Amino acid sequence: MIRFEDLTVFIRTAEAGSLSAAARALECSPAVASAALARLEQALGQRLLVRSTRSARLSPAGERYLPYALEAMRAIEEGRMSLAGSGSKLVGHLRIGAPSDLGRNLLREWLDEFQAGHPALELRLQVSDRLSDLFREPVDDLDAGQVALV
């Protein structure tokens, strides 16, 4: 059985080029990191790293395995984020009114990034320099079901 922690140690060691540096980054002792690598290598039946006292480099098997380890870690992280975000997904329509200078110079870039993180949300930025009466011209109306937190 391959452990998540063992994959993490392998990836960090490959990135850092040193078992000690990987252990520091993961906040564990070099002995714990070495044991994790030994477990992973035993589970796979292959030597993944060629280690010396000061460095570690990928073996040919390690070079072949690294892309799969990275993909596995990416998939695990995506799954975790999918579960974590399932209770806070924004859907619907959101209208924002702002003065033109604020909207063009500050909000536009931030809102592009915000919308990329919430693709199910339809975002509309209205910029104007005229004074608005927020009671007569509501910008966002939650009662009408404009924005929902799913």
Side-chain angles (χ1 to χ4, degrees), residues 95-119:
R95 291 184 301 162
I96 300 172
S100 60
D101 284 345
L102 177 69
R104 286 188 189 105
N105 297 327
L106 295 175
L107 290 179
R108 206 168 115 205
E109 216 176 290
W110 179 82
L111 290 173
D112 287 341
E113 198 174 306
F114 178 79
Q115 191 166 25
H118 302 282

Side-chain angles (χ1 to χ4, degrees), residues 35-134:
L37 283 174
R39 271 193 311 269
L40 181 61
E41 289 175 336
Q42 184 177 10
L44 295 171
Q46 297 283 326
R47 186 122 176 123
L48 300 175
L49 294 165
V50 178
R51 297 178 279 250
S52 72
T53 55
R54 296 184 186 259
S55 68
R57 63 178 172 79
L58 291 171
S59 69
E63 288 178 13
R64 286 192 313 272
Y65 187 69
L66 183 60
Y68 295 103
L70 290 167
E71 180 64 22
M73 294 297 286
R74 186 197 58 74
I76 289 169
E77 182 62 18
E78 273 184 18
R80 185 192 66 76
M81 291 187 64
S82 169
L83 292 175
S86 65
S88 61
K89 185 177 182 182
L90 294 176
V91 296
H93 306 279
L94 176 62
R95 291 184 301 162
I96 300 172
S100 60
D101 284 345
L102 177 69
R104 286 188 189 105
N105 297 327
L106 295 175
L107 290 179
R108 206 168 115 205
E109 216 176 290
W110 179 82
L111 290 173
D112 287 341
E113 198 174 306
F114 178 79
Q115 191 166 25
H118 302 282
L121 181 67
E122 183 181 317
L123 187 61
R124 184 176 193 173
L125 175 63
Q126 298 171 324
V127 293
S128 173
D129 286 329
R130 72 175 179 82
L131 292 175
S132 297
D133 183 349
L134 294 178

Side-chain angles (χ1 to χ4, degrees), residues 1-52:
M1 170 84 128
I2 294 176
R3 297 181 184 184
F4 174 79
E5 295 82 13
D6 298 350
L7 279 178
T8 303
V9 170
F10 168 64
I11 291 168
R12 287 289 177 107
T13 304
E15 290 171 348
S18 160
L19 186 61
S20 297
R24 279 191 301 276
L26 295 169
E27 298 178 352
C28 67
S29 71
V32 169
S34 181
L37 283 174
R39 271 193 311 269
L40 181 61
E41 289 175 336
Q42 184 177 10
L44 295 171
Q46 297 283 326
R47 186 122 176 123
L48 300 175
L49 294 165
V50 178
R51 297 178 279 250
S52 72

